[in-house]
PDB file of all heavy atoms in Angstrom:
ATOM      1  N   THR A   1     106.467 146.315 220.331  1.00 41.00           N
ATOM      2  CA  THR A   1     107.644 146.577 221.162  1.00 41.00           C
ATOM      3  C   THR A   1     108.398 147.799 220.650  1.00 41.00           C
ATOM      4  O   THR A   1     108.822 148.660 221.415  1.00 41.00           O
ATOM      5  CB  THR A   1     108.573 145.350 221.157  1.00 41.00           C
ATOM      6  OG1 THR A   1     107.839 144.219 221.571  1.00 41.00           O
ATOM      7  CG2 THR A   1     109.760 145.573 222.084  1.00 41.00           C
ATOM      8  N   MET A   2     108.553 147.896 219.321  1.00 40.00           N
ATOM      9  CA  MET A   2     109.257 149.037 218.739  1.00 40.00           C
ATOM     10  C   MET A   2     108.501 150.328 219.017  1.00 40.00           C
ATOM     11  O   MET A   2     109.097 151.375 219.281  1.00 40.00           O
ATOM     12  CB  MET A   2     109.418 148.841 217.231  1.00 40.00           C
ATOM     13  CG  MET A   2     110.362 147.693 216.859  1.00 40.00           C
ATOM     14  SD  MET A   2     110.415 147.394 215.081  1.00 40.00           S
ATOM     15  CE  MET A   2     111.041 148.973 214.525  1.00 40.00           C
ATOM     16  N   MET A   3     107.160 150.273 218.977  1.00 40.00           N
ATOM     17  CA  MET A   3     106.361 151.473 219.256  1.00 40.00           C
ATOM     18  C   MET A   3     106.571 151.933 220.694  1.00 40.00           C
ATOM     19  O   MET A   3     106.621 153.135 220.981  1.00 40.00           O
ATOM     20  CB  MET A   3     104.885 151.204 218.983  1.00 40.00           C
ATOM     21  CG  MET A   3     104.558 151.015 217.509  1.00 40.00           C
ATOM     22  SD  MET A   3     102.817 150.604 217.243  1.00 40.00           S
ATOM     23  CE  MET A   3     102.041 152.079 217.879  1.00 40.00           C
ATOM     24  N   VAL A   4     106.698 150.955 221.609  1.00 38.00           N
ATOM     25  CA  VAL A   4     106.961 151.329 222.992  1.00 38.00           C
ATOM     26  C   VAL A   4     108.312 152.010 223.100  1.00 38.00           C
ATOM     27  O   VAL A   4     108.474 153.024 223.774  1.00 38.00           O
ATOM     28  CB  VAL A   4     106.886 150.093 223.910  1.00 38.00           C
ATOM     29  CG1 VAL A   4     107.315 150.457 225.324  1.00 38.00           C
ATOM     30  CG2 VAL A   4     105.477 149.543 223.920  1.00 38.00           C
ATOM     31  N   PHE A   5     109.318 151.455 222.389  1.00 38.00           N
ATOM     32  CA  PHE A   5     110.629 152.091 222.377  1.00 38.00           C
ATOM     33  C   PHE A   5     110.517 153.538 221.900  1.00 38.00           C
ATOM     34  O   PHE A   5     111.085 154.457 222.480  1.00 38.00           O
ATOM     35  CB  PHE A   5     111.577 151.338 221.433  1.00 38.00           C
ATOM     36  CG  PHE A   5     112.406 150.299 222.133  1.00 38.00           C
ATOM     37  CD1 PHE A   5     112.275 148.951 221.809  1.00 38.00           C
ATOM     38  CD2 PHE A   5     113.318 150.672 223.111  1.00 38.00           C
ATOM     39  CE1 PHE A   5     113.042 148.001 222.447  1.00 38.00           C
ATOM     40  CE2 PHE A   5     114.097 149.717 223.741  1.00 38.00           C
ATOM     41  CZ  PHE A   5     113.958 148.372 223.409  1.00 38.00           C
ATOM     42  N   MET A   6     109.760 153.737 220.829  1.00 37.00           N
ATOM     43  CA  MET A   6     109.624 155.071 220.256  1.00 37.00           C
ATOM     44  C   MET A   6     108.883 155.989 221.193  1.00 37.00           C
ATOM     45  O   MET A   6     109.200 157.174 221.320  1.00 37.00           O
ATOM     46  CB  MET A   6     108.912 154.994 218.907  1.00 37.00           C
ATOM     47  CG  MET A   6     109.703 154.241 217.834  1.00 37.00           C
ATOM     48  SD  MET A   6     108.726 153.925 216.348  1.00 37.00           S
ATOM     49  CE  MET A   6     108.357 155.595 215.831  1.00 37.00           C
ATOM     50  N   SER A   7     107.868 155.463 221.898  1.00 36.00           N
ATOM     51  CA  SER A   7     107.079 156.332 222.768  1.00 36.00           C
ATOM     52  C   SER A   7     107.845 156.739 224.006  1.00 36.00           C
ATOM     53  O   SER A   7     107.620 157.795 224.566  1.00 36.00           O
ATOM     54  CB  SER A   7     105.785 155.615 223.181  1.00 36.00           C
ATOM     55  OG  SER A   7     106.080 154.497 223.992  1.00 36.00           O
ATOM     56  N   VAL A   8     108.789 155.873 224.448  1.00 36.00           N
ATOM     57  CA  VAL A   8     109.575 156.240 225.622  1.00 36.00           C
ATOM     58  C   VAL A   8     110.456 157.430 225.308  1.00 36.00           C
ATOM     59  O   VAL A   8     110.588 158.356 226.104  1.00 36.00           O
ATOM     60  CB  VAL A   8     110.423 155.028 226.077  1.00 36.00           C
ATOM     61  CG1 VAL A   8     111.364 155.431 227.194  1.00 36.00           C
ATOM     62  CG2 VAL A   8     109.502 153.910 226.540  1.00 36.00           C
ATOM     63  N   GLY A   9     111.080 157.428 224.120  1.00 36.00           N
ATOM     64  CA  GLY A   9     111.899 158.560 223.720  1.00 36.00           C
ATOM     65  C   GLY A   9     113.031 158.821 224.689  1.00 36.00           C
ATOM     66  O   GLY A   9     113.244 159.929 225.138  1.00 36.00           O
ATOM     67  N   LEU A  10     113.780 157.774 225.059  1.00 35.00           N
ATOM     68  CA  LEU A  10     114.861 157.918 226.028  1.00 35.00           C
ATOM     69  C   LEU A  10     115.918 158.863 225.478  1.00 35.00           C
ATOM     70  O   LEU A  10     116.208 158.879 224.292  1.00 35.00           O
ATOM     71  CB  LEU A  10     115.488 156.559 226.320  1.00 35.00           C
ATOM     72  CG  LEU A  10     114.533 155.493 226.868  1.00 35.00           C
ATOM     73  CD1 LEU A  10     115.291 154.219 227.146  1.00 35.00           C
ATOM     74  CD2 LEU A  10     113.854 155.995 228.132  1.00 35.00           C
ATOM     75  N   SER A  11     116.530 159.655 226.354  1.00 35.00           N
ATOM     76  CA  SER A  11     117.587 160.571 225.952  1.00 35.00           C
ATOM     77  C   SER A  11     118.734 160.470 226.926  1.00 35.00           C
ATOM     78  O   SER A  11     118.547 160.188 228.094  1.00 35.00           O
ATOM     79  CB  SER A  11     117.078 162.013 225.900  1.00 35.00           C
ATOM     80  OG  SER A  11     116.605 162.395 227.168  1.00 35.00           O
ATOM     81  N   ILE A  12     119.920 160.707 226.415  1.00 35.00           N
ATOM     82  CA  ILE A  12     121.114 160.616 227.244  1.00 35.00           C
ATOM     83  C   ILE A  12     121.341 161.961 227.903  1.00 35.00           C
ATOM     84  O   ILE A  12     121.394 162.989 227.228  1.00 35.00           O
ATOM     85  CB  ILE A  12     122.330 160.238 226.389  1.00 35.00           C
ATOM     86  CG1 ILE A  12     122.062 158.904 225.695  1.00 35.00           C
ATOM     87  CG2 ILE A  12     123.597 160.166 227.221  1.00 35.00           C
ATOM     88  CD1 ILE A  12     123.125 158.520 224.690  1.00 35.00           C
ATOM     89  N   PRO A  13     121.478 162.021 229.206  1.00 41.00           N
ATOM     90  CA  PRO A  13     121.696 163.308 229.858  1.00 41.00           C
ATOM     91  C   PRO A  13     123.019 163.936 229.432  1.00 41.00           C
ATOM     92  O   PRO A  13     123.991 163.240 229.197  1.00 41.00           O
ATOM     93  CB  PRO A  13     121.713 162.954 231.353  1.00 41.00           C
ATOM     94  CG  PRO A  13     121.997 161.492 231.407  1.00 41.00           C
ATOM     95  CD  PRO A  13     121.441 160.900 230.159  1.00 41.00           C
ATOM     96  N   VAL A  14     123.020 165.277 229.302  1.00 44.00           N
ATOM     97  CA  VAL A  14     124.236 165.989 228.932  1.00 44.00           C
ATOM     98  C   VAL A  14     125.216 165.942 230.092  1.00 44.00           C
ATOM     99  O   VAL A  14     124.834 166.186 231.229  1.00 44.00           O
ATOM    100  CB  VAL A  14     123.901 167.465 228.605  1.00 44.00           C
ATOM    101  CG1 VAL A  14     125.173 168.233 228.298  1.00 44.00           C
ATOM    102  CG2 VAL A  14     122.957 167.524 227.419  1.00 44.00           C
ATOM    103  N   PRO A  15     126.491 165.601 229.869  1.00 44.00           N
ATOM    104  CA  PRO A  15     127.466 165.625 230.956  1.00 44.00           C
ATOM    105  C   PRO A  15     127.499 166.995 231.613  1.00 44.00           C
ATOM    106  O   PRO A  15     127.322 168.012 230.949  1.00 44.00           O
ATOM    107  CB  PRO A  15     128.794 165.308 230.239  1.00 44.00           C
ATOM    108  CG  PRO A  15     128.403 164.595 228.995  1.00 44.00           C
ATOM    109  CD  PRO A  15     127.073 165.160 228.590  1.00 44.00           C
ATOM    110  N   HIS A  16     127.740 167.010 232.917  1.00 43.00           N
ATOM    111  CA  HIS A  16     127.669 168.257 233.676  1.00 43.00           C
ATOM    112  C   HIS A  16     128.586 169.333 233.106  1.00 43.00           C
ATOM    113  O   HIS A  16     128.224 170.496 233.023  1.00 43.00           O
ATOM    114  CB  HIS A  16     128.020 167.997 235.138  1.00 43.00           C
ATOM    115  CG  HIS A  16     127.990 169.226 235.993  1.00 43.00           C
ATOM    116  ND1 HIS A  16     126.820 169.853 236.337  1.00 43.00           N
ATOM    117  CD2 HIS A  16     128.996 169.965 236.534  1.00 43.00           C
ATOM    118  CE1 HIS A  16     127.093 170.913 237.071  1.00 43.00           C
ATOM    119  NE2 HIS A  16     128.402 171.004 237.202  1.00 43.00           N
ATOM    120  N   GLN A  17     129.801 168.929 232.668  1.00 42.00           N
ATOM    121  CA  GLN A  17     130.736 169.924 232.189  1.00 42.00           C
ATOM    122  C   GLN A  17     130.298 170.527 230.864  1.00 42.00           C
ATOM    123  O   GLN A  17     130.814 171.554 230.450  1.00 42.00           O
ATOM    124  CB  GLN A  17     132.147 169.319 232.037  1.00 42.00           C
ATOM    125  CG  GLN A  17     132.249 168.207 230.996  1.00 42.00           C
ATOM    126  CD  GLN A  17     131.986 166.844 231.605  1.00 42.00           C
ATOM    127  OE1 GLN A  17     131.350 166.731 232.654  1.00 42.00           O
ATOM    128  NE2 GLN A  17     132.491 165.798 230.970  1.00 42.00           N
ATOM    129  N   ASP A  18     129.322 169.912 230.147  1.00 59.00           N
ATOM    130  CA  ASP A  18     128.870 170.426 228.860  1.00 59.00           C
ATOM    131  C   ASP A  18     127.616 171.286 228.976  1.00 59.00           C
ATOM    132  O   ASP A  18     127.204 171.899 227.991  1.00 59.00           O
ATOM    133  CB  ASP A  18     128.586 169.269 227.898  1.00 59.00           C
ATOM    134  CG  ASP A  18     129.831 168.478 227.567  1.00 59.00           C
ATOM    135  OD1 ASP A  18     130.931 169.029 227.680  1.00 59.00           O
ATOM    136  OD2 ASP A  18     129.668 167.311 227.199  1.00 59.00           O
ATOM    137  N   GLN A  19     126.974 171.322 230.133  1.00 62.00           N
ATOM    138  CA  GLN A  19     125.703 172.037 230.263  1.00 62.00           C
ATOM    139  C   GLN A  19     125.871 173.530 229.998  1.00 62.00           C
ATOM    140  O   GLN A  19     125.087 174.145 229.270  1.00 62.00           O
ATOM    141  CB  GLN A  19     125.122 171.802 231.656  1.00 62.00           C
ATOM    142  CG  GLN A  19     124.721 170.356 231.911  1.00 62.00           C
ATOM    143  CD  GLN A  19     124.275 170.133 233.342  1.00 62.00           C
ATOM    144  OE1 GLN A  19     124.327 171.042 234.173  1.00 62.00           O
ATOM    145  NE2 GLN A  19     123.851 168.928 233.651  1.00 62.00           N
ATOM    146  N   HIS A  20     126.892 174.109 230.598  1.00 63.00           N
ATOM    147  CA  HIS A  20     127.133 175.538 230.392  1.00 63.00           C
ATOM    148  C   HIS A  20     127.449 175.815 228.928  1.00 63.00           C
ATOM    149  O   HIS A  20     126.952 176.776 228.337  1.00 63.00           O
ATOM    150  CB  HIS A  20     128.286 175.997 231.284  1.00 63.00           C
ATOM    151  CG  HIS A  20     128.753 177.381 231.004  1.00 63.00           C
ATOM    152  ND1 HIS A  20     127.926 178.473 231.096  1.00 63.00           N
ATOM    153  CD2 HIS A  20     129.966 177.860 230.631  1.00 63.00           C
ATOM    154  CE1 HIS A  20     128.608 179.560 230.796  1.00 63.00           C
ATOM    155  NE2 HIS A  20     129.846 179.214 230.497  1.00 63.00           N
ATOM    156  N   GLN A  21     128.262 174.960 228.319  1.00 70.00           N
ATOM    157  CA  GLN A  21     128.624 175.115 226.917  1.00 70.00           C
ATOM    158  C   GLN A  21     127.387 175.100 226.028  1.00 70.00           C
ATOM    159  O   GLN A  21     127.254 175.915 225.100  1.00 70.00           O
ATOM    160  CB  GLN A  21     129.567 173.973 226.549  1.00 70.00           C
ATOM    161  CG  GLN A  21     130.432 174.196 225.331  1.00 70.00           C
ATOM    162  CD  GLN A  21     131.436 173.080 225.186  1.00 70.00           C
ATOM    163  OE1 GLN A  21     131.057 171.904 225.134  1.00 70.00           O
ATOM    164  NE2 GLN A  21     132.701 173.406 225.140  1.00 70.00           N
ATOM    165  N   TYR A  22     126.469 174.199 226.313  1.00 76.00           N
ATOM    166  CA  TYR A  22     125.247 174.076 225.510  1.00 76.00           C
ATOM    167  C   TYR A  22     124.384 175.336 225.630  1.00 76.00           C
ATOM    168  O   TYR A  22     123.907 175.887 224.640  1.00 76.00           O
ATOM    169  CB  TYR A  22     124.471 172.844 225.960  1.00 76.00           C
ATOM    170  CG  TYR A  22     123.383 172.424 224.984  1.00 76.00           C
ATOM    171  CD1 TYR A  22     123.594 171.399 224.083  1.00 76.00           C
ATOM    172  CD2 TYR A  22     122.142 173.057 224.983  1.00 76.00           C
ATOM    173  CE1 TYR A  22     122.600 171.010 223.189  1.00 76.00           C
ATOM    174  CE2 TYR A  22     121.155 172.673 224.097  1.00 76.00           C
ATOM    175  CZ  TYR A  22     121.382 171.655 223.203  1.00 76.00           C
ATOM    176  OH  TYR A  22     120.401 171.294 222.339  1.00 76.00           O
ATOM    177  N   SER A  23     124.187 175.797 226.870  1.00 73.00           N
ATOM    178  CA  SER A  23     123.322 176.963 227.074  1.00 73.00           C
ATOM    179  C   SER A  23     123.918 178.210 226.446  1.00 73.00           C
ATOM    180  O   SER A  23     123.196 179.045 225.894  1.00 73.00           O
ATOM    181  CB  SER A  23     123.080 177.183 228.566  1.00 73.00           C
ATOM    182  OG  SER A  23     124.297 177.396 229.244  1.00 73.00           O
ATOM    183  N   ARG A  24     125.250 178.350 226.492  1.00 75.00           N
ATOM    184  CA  ARG A  24     125.875 179.509 225.860  1.00 75.00           C
ATOM    185  C   ARG A  24     125.741 179.418 224.338  1.00 75.00           C
ATOM    186  O   ARG A  24     125.589 180.435 223.662  1.00 75.00           O
ATOM    187  CB  ARG A  24     127.347 179.584 226.251  1.00 75.00           C
ATOM    188  CG  ARG A  24     127.616 179.568 227.738  1.00 75.00           C
ATOM    189  CD  ARG A  24     127.048 180.757 228.463  1.00 75.00           C
ATOM    190  NE  ARG A  24     127.923 181.899 228.386  1.00 75.00           N
ATOM    191  CZ  ARG A  24     127.672 183.048 229.008  1.00 75.00           C
ATOM    192  NH1 ARG A  24     126.581 183.175 229.722  1.00 75.00           N
ATOM    193  NH2 ARG A  24     128.496 184.065 228.899  1.00 75.00           N
ATOM    194  N   GLY A  25     125.789 178.198 223.809  1.00 81.00           N
ATOM    195  CA  GLY A  25     125.586 178.039 222.379  1.00 81.00           C
ATOM    196  C   GLY A  25     124.192 178.450 221.947  1.00 81.00           C
ATOM    197  O   GLY A  25     124.007 179.081 220.899  1.00 81.00           O
ATOM    198  N   VAL A  26     123.187 178.127 222.760  1.00 81.00           N
ATOM    199  CA  VAL A  26     121.813 178.533 222.457  1.00 81.00           C
ATOM    200  C   VAL A  26     121.699 180.053 222.500  1.00 81.00           C
ATOM    201  O   VAL A  26     121.039 180.669 221.650  1.00 81.00           O
ATOM    202  CB  VAL A  26     120.834 177.876 223.448  1.00 81.00           C
ATOM    203  CG1 VAL A  26     119.430 178.445 223.279  1.00 81.00           C
ATOM    204  CG2 VAL A  26     120.812 176.368 223.245  1.00 81.00           C
ATOM    205  N   ASP A  27     122.341 180.688 223.473  1.00 78.00           N
ATOM    206  CA  ASP A  27     122.352 182.147 223.521  1.00 78.00           C
ATOM    207  C   ASP A  27     122.957 182.734 222.250  1.00 78.00           C
ATOM    208  O   ASP A  27     122.457 183.719 221.695  1.00 78.00           O
ATOM    209  CB  ASP A  27     123.166 182.629 224.733  1.00 78.00           C
ATOM    210  CG  ASP A  27     122.338 182.668 225.995  1.00 78.00           C
ATOM    211  OD1 ASP A  27     121.106 182.546 225.894  1.00 78.00           O
ATOM    212  OD2 ASP A  27     122.918 182.813 227.081  1.00 78.00           O
TER     213      ASP A  27
END
């Protein structure tokens, strides 16, 4: 069961207002 959890690799989507902030940080 734990291996299935690990293989799914669920991630929390970035809030819409933070998307621009994140991309500018990568730049």
Side-chain angles (χ1 to χ4, degrees):
T1 305
M2 293 175 61
M3 291 177 62
V4 174
F5 266 117
M6 295 170 61
S7 66
V8 174
L10 301 182
S11 60
I12 301 173
V14 177
H16 179 71
Q17 64 270 22
D18 296 336
Q19 294 174 356
H20 171 59
Q21 201 173 56
Y22 194 99
S23 60
R24 306 297 277 184
V26 172
D27 275 348

